[in-house]
Amino acid sequence: MKRISLIIAACAFITGCTGTIVSDKAVSVIPQPASIEMTEGSFRLTAGTQANFLYEAPELEYVAETLEDMTEDIFGKGIKMNLSSLDASKGINFILDEELPAEGYKIEVAEKTIDIASSTAAGAFYALQTLRQLIGAEAFTAEKVKAVEIPAVKIEDSPLLGYRGTMLDVGRYFFPVEDVKKVLDIMAMHKMNTFHWHLTEDQGWRIQIDKYPRLTEVGSIRKRTIIGKDPNGEYDENTPFDTIPHGGFYTKEQIREVVDYAAARFITVIPEIEFPGHSLAALASYPYLGCTGEQYEVRQSWDIEDRVFCPGKETTFEFLEDVLSEVVELFPSEYIHIGGDECPTKYWQKCPHCAKRMKEEGLKTFRQLQGYGIARVEKFLAKHGKHLIGWDEILEAGVTPNSIVMSWRGTEGGVKAAKQGNRAIMAPSTYCYFDYYQSKDRENEPLAWGGFLPLEKVYSFNPFEGLSETEADYILGVQANLWTEYIPNIKQAEYMLLPRLAALCEVAWTAGRGSYGDFLTRLPAMEEMYDACDYNHRSNIEKR
Ligand code: ACM
Ligand code: ZN
């Protein structure tokens, strides 16, 4: 790779700077492109630059909007979009190249043109995310920018993993739509393409369901919340609680707004409706859903809850099918996540309905009873053209080959799934739980769930370890999980995500083939971009 020397703009960080910014960011792209070659010269981007779309595709409007917003952020006014143009002699040209992989792209920055080739609008969108990084953060923070000199470069790029996910738990703490959109913006910047929206929990039900209004009237509100950590690790009468109700839910209109906002960023939204565990908020809303029919309260502390859906009662499945019927209408995703994790069987063991079901169905163990429930849900989803995703416990309960396993208790579940021919997503707590501490310096870190997941560890994740090449084909991708027991607001969520999402996006994009040392040389430019966007992030990389 040939590197040319670049003049670093003296005015880069001076507010009030007027004039030209010379970017030196061409070699600082995250995730690392497949190939990048510096060439001679630069392209001068100004408010007068035109964008030419040389082909038509429905989602190209999102690409145009992105470029318009991006240039508006720099110049105070977006550049002109020629949505059907034949002239590619100057400006930013969007070109169709059907030979390129679905999410791949090529960028060639030259003196008169920036050519962006892709076979899909998604590829063009990712090219713009790269272009934003080639432009560099200064252009987005300095005032009165007249021009940005973007160094000439040729980039060819495509992701190695098709599923690049981020999960947000809105059950423990509710995040308003504006905050969810911020998470989607952060994801887009990292070329992540799947948002897993954890919508139901013991501590809160967050999605409007017309047929069951109490889910949000009752189930979305807990009357108080545990404060800090219980010193004994167990909750008892001495456990401190606040006295403030916590609630919130998304209306159907808001859900559609989020799905559309995500689509404009080439992000698919996968909803999670937890079954049979993590469901106390649903049981508090409709007591008949539990084994005993008792009236419960929405859970106010964390950890695993014993009171779960009763898979013995037919009415539980009626409820689930009604709920899922409304859910599949809202989410175009081919996948629906139904949880399946951490489901104690304490209440099932004493339940006559569960006993009857087990006898009728010839089920020997309570895990088989769980498997019976999951299989019914899977069949129902299949009727609606949807595939089921579940946490790796669904393997113990027995799954059909169509189910997708999300491996969280290490990678073992994903490995087992792939070996038996189930597709899997790798989200092991050991590499992907961003609710864990980023540093050992706990005194200076916000209170977190526990664990220790520094940046380097995230980066070191090899999602294919223990798998042959053929088995590795069953790994759809990787996912960052942000559980929010100790993440009450978006600023803290940003802090836990960044910069670890930069490391994981590179794992996803390059399938774990990058070098951490090289990544660290590119990270400061990304952190400048976080600052330009006013994202809260962990910083000072030398000290990590
Ligand atoms: C999980 O962390 N219980 C999936
Ligand atoms: Zn029961």
Side-chain angles (χ1 to χ4, degrees):
M1 187 192 302
K2 185 174 157 203
R3 294 186 188 205
I4 52 169
S5 68
L6 297 159
I7 308 153
I8 298 168
C11 69
F13 291 105
I14 305 169
T15 40
C17 156
T18 306
T20 300
I21 287 188
V22 181
S23 168
D24 63 341
K25 294 297 183 280
V27 289
S28 293
V29 179
I30 290 176
Q32 173 79 314
S35 94
I36 180 160
E37 182 195 345
M38 305 293 297
T39 54
E40 295 289 337
S42 63
F43 178 90
R44 188 173 174 82
L45 177 70
T46 69
T49 301
Q50 293 200 1
N52 305 305
F53 290 82
L54 295 135
Y55 65 107
E56 286 180 10
E59 290 168 329
L60 272 183
E61 74 192 86
Y62 300 145
V63 176
E65 279 165 22
T66 304
L67 182 55
E68 216 171 339
D69 289 350
M70 201 160 108
T71 47
E72 188 179 342
D73 284 349
I74 300 171
F75 303 115
K77 162 176 176 281
I79 66 170
K80 183 160 186 287
M81 301 290 141
N82 290 328
L83 288 175
S84 54
S85 171
L86 296 173
D87 180 9
S89 62
K90 57 182 187 320
I92 303 176
N93 302 313
F94 291 90
I95 300 156
L96 181 66
D97 179 347
E98 285 173 334
E99 307 274 286
L100 291 174
E103 293 181 299
Y105 65 88
K106 278 189 200 168
I107 300 182
E108 184 165 354
V109 179
E111 294 208 359
K112 292 218 163 8
T113 52
I114 297 180
D115 287 343
I116 293 178
S118 63
S119 63
T120 62
F125 180 79
Y126 294 133
L128 288 185
Q129 299 310 317
T130 295
L131 184 63
R132 189 197 303 275
Q133 293 184 47
L134 296 181
I135 290 169
E138 300 92 78
F140 295 93
T141 49
E143 286 175 24
K144 297 179 189 155
V145 175
K146 290 268 181 288
V148 185
E149 292 286 347
I150 306 170
V153 66
K154 284 185 189 172
I155 294 177
E156 223 176 309
D157 199 11
S158 62
L160 289 175
L161 288 174
Y163 182 110
R164 303 182 300 280
T166 303
M167 186 215 71
L168 180 67
D169 165 14
V170 296
R172 271 50 177 262
Y173 280 99
F174 176 71
F175 288 74
V177 167
E178 286 318 303
D179 292 348
V180 175
K181 287 182 177 174
K182 250 188 170 185
V183 171
L184 292 167
D185 287 340
I186 288 171
M187 288 176 62
M189 182 179 189
H190 293 84
K191 303 189 176 97
M192 302 297 267
N193 66 1
T194 310
F195 177 56
H196 168 177
W197 206 358
H198 185 81
L199 285 164
T200 70
E201 254 307 335
D202 295 315
Q203 295 84 0
W205 182 282
R206 307 291 180 213
I207 174 173
Q208 177 189 350
I209 300 294
D210 295 333
K211 191 155 185 190
Y212 298 95
R214 285 176 63 80
L215 287 171
T216 42
E217 284 164 13
V218 175
S220 73
I221 303 164
R222 61 173 180 266
K223 68 178 189 202
R224 57 180 194 168
T225 302
I226 187 168
I227 299 171
K229 290 269 183 188
D230 185 296
N232 306 316
E234 285 185 358
Y235 307 119
D236 56 28
E237 65 279 7
N238 299 317
T239 306
F241 287 91
D242 67 16
T243 53
I244 312 157
H246 183 88
F249 68 92
Y250 308 102
T251 63
K252 288 195 166 174
E253 200 181 330
Q254 287 175 319
I255 299 262
R256 286 191 197 98
E257 186 184 335
V258 168
V259 168
D260 290 349
Y261 191 88
R265 285 149 188 79
F266 298 88
I267 295 171
T268 301
V269 183
I270 297 180
E272 181 181 357
I273 306 295
E274 278 265 22
F275 169 81
H278 289 277
S279 50
L280 190 60
L283 272 55
S285 311
Y286 295 97
Y288 71 85
L289 296 170
C291 286
T292 66
E294 277 170 274
Q295 178 65 60
Y296 302 132
E297 288 189 330
V298 178
R299 193 168 164 90
Q300 299 145 16
S301 58
W302 315 128
D303 253 326
I304 300 175
E305 169 60 55
D306 289 329
R307 295 163 292 180
V308 301
F309 280 114
C310 173
K313 296 181 188 172
E314 207 45 33
T315 44
T316 300
F317 292 98
E318 275 166 30
F319 167 87
L320 272 172
E321 293 186 2
D322 288 342
V323 166
L324 289 171
S325 297
E326 295 192 30
V327 168
V328 297
E329 285 293 309
L330 287 167
F331 295 91
S333 161
E334 71 176 290
Y335 303 121
I336 303 288
H337 202 307
I338 53 85
D341 59 320
E342 296 180 323
C343 183
T345 60
K346 180 174 159 186
Y347 282 79
W348 297 355
Q349 293 176 31
K350 296 178 284 191
C351 172
H353 307 284
C354 287
K356 184 161 174 274
R357 174 80 74 196
M358 288 176 76
K359 188 155 176 248
E360 280 170 5
E361 298 293 331
L363 307 169
K364 301 269 175 300
T365 67
F366 292 104
R367 285 290 157 246
Q368 286 174 348
L369 177 61
Q370 180 168 348
Y372 163 85
I374 303 279
R376 274 189 71 163
V377 176
E378 185 190 38
K379 245 191 234 147
F380 177 79
L381 290 175
K383 273 203 292 198
H384 288 80
K386 307 284 189 188
H387 294 295
L388 177 150
I389 303 182
W391 298 108
D392 58 45
E393 284 92 334
I394 66 169
L395 274 171
E396 291 161 32
V399 287
T400 73
N402 294 326
S403 292
I404 293 139
V405 173
M406 189 168 268
S407 193
W408 73 277
R409 296 174 299 175
T411 54
E412 290 81 355
V415 168
K416 187 174 169 206
K419 285 187 187 291
Q420 72 179 43
N422 277 97
R423 288 170 294 165
I425 296 154
M426 289 295 196
S429 57
T430 36
Y431 296 96
C432 297
Y433 269 39
F434 288 10
D435 54 333
Y436 287 10
Y437 284 99
Q438 308 184 58
S439 157
K440 285 203 161 137
D441 177 16
R442 294 208 176 172
E443 276 174 24
N444 292 308
E445 286 291 306
L447 181 65
W449 177 260
F452 178 48
L453 181 57
L455 188 66
E456 185 168 7
K457 178 94 192 272
V458 178
Y459 197 89
S460 72
F461 182 32
N462 171 6
F464 301 132
E465 200 171 319
L467 294 171
S468 70
E469 224 168 274
T470 329
E471 289 161 354
D473 284 345
Y474 287 95
I475 306 300
L476 298 179
V478 299
Q479 177 169 293
N481 285 340
L482 199 60
W483 300 106
T484 58
E485 286 93 338
Y486 296 98
I487 304 178
N489 57 53
I490 186 67
K491 278 290 154 212
Q492 202 169 323
E494 289 168 15
Y495 182 80
M496 300 307 270
L497 282 171
L498 304 174
R500 288 185 288 193
L501 199 63
L504 194 71
C505 86
E506 194 152 305
V507 170
W509 196 264
T510 67
R513 288 179 201 147
S515 134
Y516 185 62
D518 186 68
F519 169 76
L520 286 185
T521 66
R522 288 176 280 119
L523 188 57
M526 194 61 154
E527 292 197 355
E528 282 171 29
M529 199 61 86
Y530 297 157
D531 292 334
C533 298
D534 196 27
Y535 295 145
N536 188 17
H537 64 95
R538 188 168 156 78
S539 188
N540 198 354
I541 45 181
E542 311 78 58
K543 286 192 187 158
R544 263 192 199 104

